[in-house]
Amino acid sequence: MDWGTDLWDQYDIIDKHTQSGLELVEKYVKFVKERTEIEQNYAKQLRNLTKKYNPKRGCKEEQECRFSNHQSFLDILNEMNDYAGQRELIAENMMMNICIELTKYLQELKMERKTHLLEAKKAQQSLESTYKQLDSSKKRFEREWREADKAAQYAEKTDQDINATKADVEKAKQQANMRTHIAEESKNDYAAQLQNYNKEQSQFYFSDMPLIFNKLQDMDERRVRKLAQGYVLFSDTEKHVMPIIGKCLEGVTKAGTNVNERNDSIALIEQHKSGFERPGDLDFEDYSQGINRASSDSSLGILGTPKGPLELLGKNRSKPFWLFSKKSKRLTPERIIVMPTVTEDFGHLPPEQRRKRLQQKLDDIGKELQKEVDQSEALEKMKDVYEKNPQMGDPASLSPQINQTAQNMERLRGELNKYESWLTEAGRRGDSMLRRDTLREDALSFRSHSFNNNGSTHEPYSPDGTHSEEGTPDPSQAIYAEFDDDFEEEEEELVAPIGQCTAMYNFPGASEGTITMQEGEVLSVVEEDKGDGWTRVRRANGNEGYIPTSYVSISLSK
């Protein structure tokens, strides 16, 4: 079955049907374009979302990525970013393989349809022109035959008229013969035109138009087939990226299964463990027998067992160390502290953290030393080759590099020995008895040095749990009173803030050197966390102190 045979008389239907088919292709192309826009917007929103929650370099969240739950969240963000890329790929492939291809094919179909319709129109016009000629010859034949019939009747009437002359009769007969001859000619012309028209009509209905209709049918079927392929591509485009999308989703699942709460707890311990012992029992002070002033007023006092991350001063020495307290103490001159400076041997850190940093430093130096050793061996081999084959190079040209490498190796070995000795010392000081003796000696040495240089005792203190010095009650009050102006000058020389932080939790700041803060409070960061878990901050009124780093959200200035 075909259009030329079964729809030979349905030209208008075929015209509308083919036009409707082309409009459907246009509609589908528009639909796919809008789908690609949705995919692109979705991918863009996903990328913005992952960018929003990705930690910035150097921020607190990036430092916490050592924990599995934080790292897994970053893995999820990366997988979602890859997922967004696959959505963009879907949009790109749909645009290239469906929209652009169908649009190009649609233009070709429009031109082809236009050509076929023009051929049909020309055939129709040719048939109509032939019919007009047939109709004209038919009317002429009818008119001439009528005139010939009248002329024959007039000649017969004249011949029967007794009054008519012979000349009139002869003239009437000649006129009738002429009209009859003209009528015969018009008859023959009409017959020829009719034959020609019938031939063209047959050609039109049985050959020309069926061929055009079949061409239109073939065009429409190709359109339908191409459109069907576009429908399939709509699905296949997404199917092709589904394995990758599945891997992205599997990555999200894997990120969830990789979370290990026990390892995170151990990592937190390893990161912040100070190595100090818990506070020991308090001694009974028998006030009924009087206070032994020799112990409080003699020279500069002896340092007791460290009280945790903060060593209590003077009159607070006998009090227990509280992790949290309801009261917040303001830093007064007698509580002013001297912060330990960051030293090369990491002595400002707690024992456990110090050992880790020293071990890490040893590992880094070992790697650098190994590189220098490898380079030295390579240079020696190259020098040996140059000596055996002078044409390849001058051995003397390698001397500067060999000497520099030797110097680097000597320097690194010296640093390695130095840090190994510090690590050995840190291991000894990890022992409780040795640590206490060392702290007492350091306390006496530091207090003597501080007293001789400044005329007043300052108490070194660190929120990471390093030891602090204990001053004698009475002399310290007099000393601080005498040098009140010096403290005011020191307080005026404030360090410029390096950023800001926002409190996420309440912190009472009951221990010496700490500062109280309320949830949501904004403070200036004076000194960032050195790896001990404490950050130094300042209020707008000038009060400074230490707070737990994990209690705040920090934003450092660039």
Side-chain angles (χ1 to χ4, degrees), residues 118-386:
L118 284 175
E119 291 176 355
K121 188 175 182 181
K122 287 181 181 179
Q124 180 73 22
Q125 289 175 349
S126 177
L127 183 63
E128 289 177 356
S129 176
T130 304
Y131 179 77
K132 287 180 181 179
Q133 293 176 3
L134 173 65
D135 188 60
S136 176
S137 63
K138 178 182 177 181
K139 289 180 179 179
R140 179 170 172 269
F141 167 63
E142 181 183 5
R143 184 175 63 253
E144 292 297 336
W145 185 256
R146 192 177 294 114
E147 291 293 332
D149 186 50
K150 288 181 180 180
Q153 291 179 5
Y154 178 74
E156 184 180 356
K157 183 179 179 182
T158 303
D159 186 45
Q160 293 178 1
D161 187 3
I162 59 174
N163 295 323
T165 64
K166 185 178 180 179
D168 292 336
V169 173
E170 190 65 26
K171 182 179 180 181
K173 287 182 179 180
Q174 289 179 356
Q175 186 71 23
N177 291 333
M178 184 185 68
R179 286 293 178 184
T180 302
H181 180 71
I182 294 174
E184 286 294 335
E185 288 181 353
S186 63
K187 179 180 179 181
N188 294 334
D189 182 62
Y190 169 64
Q193 289 295 336
L194 179 61
Q195 185 179 3
N196 185 37
Y197 174 78
N198 288 335
K199 182 180 179 181
E200 287 201 15
Q201 180 177 251
S202 176
Q203 177 75 16
F204 179 81
Y205 285 111
F206 289 93
S207 179
D208 294 344
M209 290 309 296
L211 180 62
I212 293 173
F213 284 175
N214 289 338
K215 288 180 180 180
L216 288 171
Q217 179 182 359
D218 178 67
M219 181 204 73
D220 191 68
E221 290 177 354
R222 283 187 282 111
R223 173 196 64 80
V224 173
R225 187 162 56 250
K226 190 73 173 180
L227 186 59
Q229 293 174 359
Y231 292 163
V232 175
L233 280 175
F234 187 81
S235 173
D236 289 346
T237 302
E238 190 161 358
K239 283 183 179 179
H240 289 160
V241 299
M242 284 305 293
I244 304 177
I245 291 178
K247 290 182 179 179
C248 293
L249 297 178
E250 288 176 3
V252 174
T253 303
K254 184 178 179 181
T257 56
N258 285 342
V259 175
N260 190 310
E261 62 279 6
R262 184 59 183 170
N263 288 346
D264 285 359
S265 298
I266 295 174
L268 184 65
I269 294 172
E270 293 295 328
Q271 180 183 353
H272 297 288
K273 181 180 178 182
S274 66
F276 290 129
E277 295 182 359
R278 291 181 177 85
D281 295 339
L282 298 178
D283 296 332
F284 177 75
E285 299 182 15
D286 191 356
Y287 288 97
S288 62
Q289 300 298 327
I291 300 176
N292 183 6
R293 301 191 63 83
S295 62
S296 60
D297 296 341
S298 63
S299 66
L300 297 171
I302 301 299
L303 179 69
T305 303
K307 303 300 182 180
L310 303 175
E311 184 65 27
L312 303 180
L313 300 176
K315 60 183 180 180
N316 294 327
R317 179 183 176 186
S318 61
K319 293 184 179 181
F321 167 65
W322 301 106
L323 292 176
F324 300 98
S325 175
K326 296 181 180 179
K327 294 183 179 180
S328 174
K329 297 183 180 180
R330 186 178 182 273
L331 291 177
T332 58
E334 63 245 18
R335 296 195 183 104
I336 291 179
I337 55 179
V338 177
M339 290 301 304
T341 57
V342 178
T343 56
E344 187 181 7
D345 63 350
F346 303 109
H348 63 289
L349 297 178
E352 188 69 21
Q353 300 300 324
R354 183 189 180 196
R355 283 193 291 272
K356 290 180 182 178
R357 293 294 293 274
L358 288 173
Q359 186 61 53
Q360 180 182 359
K361 189 68 175 179
L362 282 172
D363 294 340
D364 295 340
I365 295 175
K367 292 178 182 178
E368 294 182 17
L369 181 58
Q370 185 61 43
K371 289 182 181 178
E372 295 294 336
V373 170
D374 294 341
Q375 185 175 358
S376 177
E377 293 178 354
L379 290 172
E380 290 294 340
K381 290 180 181 179
M382 188 178 297
K383 182 180 179 181
D384 185 56
V385 172
Y386 286 176

